[in-house]
C-alpha cells in the first residue's frame, strides 16, 4: 500500500530503488515516502522528482509521520477507483453503477474499444499515448454530458487501458 524508503542503503541508494519501483508496472503507482537523514535541498528535490509523494527528514515526529501516512493511504485508495491516466471511474465504480441500474429501465450501455494504442505508443511514445487517452476520455465525457440536464443520468467509465463503457438514457444511445 505504501513504501517508506531511506536513501542510504547498503547495496544501492534509495533513489535507485525508487527509479526501479517506478519502472515496473506492478509498483509504479505505489506511494513512496522518503524517510531519511539527508536534508539537502537537492536530495529532497531529487526524491520528489522521482515521484515520491513526500520527503521526511530524521529525526521526525512519529505523530506527524502517522498522519502523513494516513492521508496518503486515503488518497491512494481514491486513486485506485479511477484510471491513473484518464481519471475515469475504474471497474469497481463501473460495477457499482451497473448494480444501481439493474433495477431501472430505459438505459443503454455502449462499449468502446480503442485499438492500436500499443502500436501508437511504439511509434510516438507513451506520453503521446497517454495524451491521446486523456483526449479520448474528455471527448466521451463532453459528448455524453452535452445538453444534459441531469448529470447523474449518464456515466463514462474505463474497463481497461483501452476499453471504455458509456451508460446513457436509451433514447440518447
Amino acid at each position: 500500500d505504501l513504501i517508506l524508503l531511506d536513501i542510504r542503503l547498503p547495496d544501492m541508494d534509495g533513489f535507485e530503488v525508487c527509479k526501479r519501483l517506478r519502472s515496473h508496472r506492478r509498483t509504479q503507482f505505489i506511494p513512496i515516502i522518503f524517510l531519511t537523514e539527508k536534508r539537502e535541498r537537492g536530495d529532497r528535490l531529487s526524491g520528489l522528482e522521482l515521484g515520491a509523494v513526500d520527503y521526511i527528514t530524521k529525526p521526525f515526529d512519529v505523530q506527524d509521520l502517522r498522519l502523513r501516512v494516513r492521508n496518503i493511504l486515503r488518497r491512494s485508495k481514491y486513486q485506485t477507483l479511477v484510471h491513473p491516466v484518464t481519471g475515469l471511474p475504474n471497474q469497481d465504480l463501473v460495477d457499482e453503477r451497473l448494480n444501481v441500474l439493474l433495477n431501472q429501465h430505459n438505459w443503454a450501455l455502449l462499449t468502446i474499444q480503442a485499438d492500436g494504442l500499443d502500436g501508437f505508443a511504439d511509434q510516438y511514445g507513451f506520453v503521446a499515448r497517454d495524451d491521446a487517452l486523456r483526449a479520448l476520455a474528455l471527448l466521451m465525457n463532453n459528448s455524453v454530458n452535452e445538453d444534459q440536464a441531469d448529470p447523474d443520468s449518464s456515466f463514462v467509465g474505463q474497463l481497461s487501458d483501452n476499453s471504455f463503457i458509456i451508460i446513457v438514457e436509451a433514447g440518447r444511445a
Side-chain angles (χ1 to χ4, degrees), residues 130-144:
D130 289 352
D131 288 343
L133 273 174
R134 276 190 287 278
L136 180 58
L138 185 64
L139 282 169
M140 287 187 290
N141 259 325
N142 288 345
S143 296
V144 166

Side-chain angles (χ1 to χ4, degrees), residues 94 98 107-114 136 140 155-160 162-168 173:
V94 170
L98 288 172
W107 58 273
L109 183 137
L110 301 113
T111 59
I112 296 173
Q113 185 77 26
L136 180 58
M140 287 187 290
F155 179 86
V156 179
Q158 192 157 356
L159 302 173
S160 68
N162 62 345
S163 181
F164 303 89
I165 184 170
I166 296 176
I167 303 169
V168 293

Side-chain angles (χ1 to χ4, degrees), residues 15-82:
F15 292 134
E16 182 62 28
V17 172
C18 187
K19 284 180 197 173
R20 291 183 184 190
L21 288 167
R22 291 293 178 243
S23 69
H24 291 285
R25 187 170 180 82
R26 290 185 59 203
T27 57
Q28 68 184 353
F29 296 114
I30 297 174
I32 297 173
I33 297 175
F34 277 109
L35 185 61
T36 183
E37 65 193 31
K38 296 190 77 163
R39 299 176 169 274
E40 293 82 32
R41 180 178 184 268
D43 292 324
R44 188 173 57 253
L45 293 176
S46 293
L48 295 172
E49 189 172 312
L50 287 171
V53 296
D54 210 342
Y55 190 101
I56 302 170
T57 57
K58 299 176 184 176
F60 60 90
D61 180 271
V62 175
Q63 181 69 7
D64 180 51
L65 176 63
R66 188 184 73 73
L67 292 172
R68 288 174 189 244
V69 166
R70 183 200 68 191
N71 293 342
I72 289 167
L73 290 174
R74 282 183 183 166
R75 276 194 307 270
S76 67
K77 180 175 174 136
Y78 165 75
Q79 289 172 347
T80 62
L81 296 176
V82 297

